[in-house]
Amino acid sequence: QVQLVESGGGLVQAGGSLRLSCAASGRIFSVNTMGWYRRAPGKQRELVATITSGSLTNYADSVKGRFTISRDKNTVYLQMNSLKPEDTAVYYCHLDYRFSPNDYWGQGTQVTVSS
């Protein structure tokens, strides 16, 4: 069974920074996409950023230029700079095999940005 464990969430003032980490363990195929999604209260889950096993990245327009996704093998990071109150959400790590029905989610980590 694949497991994803997130860490690094917390409370930060607007304009500050946080770094999220997600460690994937278990039987993981080498070709995959890992990423971060977030869900704010009363809103739909949305994609934040993804990174492939070949280090190709994709970002939501709302975070482009402020957030950076990176990975080291099966650990993925999200460096969040210039945080805004609207970034407040539970952030979830995701592992996807694009041409397979299998995908996996972490438990989520809370990010709160104060005004």
Side-chain angles (χ1 to χ4, degrees), residues 81-95:
N81 298 327
S82 302
L83 282 161
K84 304 175 180 179
E86 52 262 44
D87 295 318
T88 296
V90 178
Y91 284 70
Y92 297 91
C93 184
H94 183 241
L95 171 64

Side-chain angles (χ1 to χ4, degrees), residues 3-113:
Q3 292 185 327
L4 304 176
V5 179
E6 302 108 327
S7 63
L11 175 65
V12 65
Q13 295 182 18
S17 298
L18 286 172
R19 191 182 78 150
L20 306 183
S21 299
C22 173
S25 62
R27 187 178 180 183
I28 302 169
F29 295 115
S30 60
V31 179
N32 61 64
T33 298
M34 297 187 71
W36 294 93
Y37 293 72
R38 66 187 181 187
R39 188 189 300 275
K43 297 180 65 177
Q44 298 294 315
R45 183 180 62 198
E46 64 176 347
L47 183 148
V48 178
T50 61
I51 184 167
T52 70
S53 47
S55 297
L56 298 178
T57 59
N58 181 58
Y59 296 91
D61 287 342
S62 60
V63 307
K64 190 173 295 183
R66 300 188 298 120
F67 292 8
T68 302
I69 190 169
S70 61
R71 68 187 293 169
D72 178 12
K73 300 176 184 177
N74 293 323
T75 300
V76 64
Y77 306 94
L78 186 68
Q79 179 67 46
M80 304 185 293
N81 298 327
S82 302
L83 282 161
K84 304 175 180 179
E86 52 262 44
D87 295 318
T88 296
V90 178
Y91 284 70
Y92 297 91
C93 184
H94 183 241
L95 171 64
D96 179 56
Y97 305 115
R98 187 163 299 278
F99 302 106
S100 165
N102 305 108
D103 68 342
Y104 304 90
W105 292 92
Q107 82 285 356
T109 184
Q110 176 71 46
V111 171
T112 302
V113 184

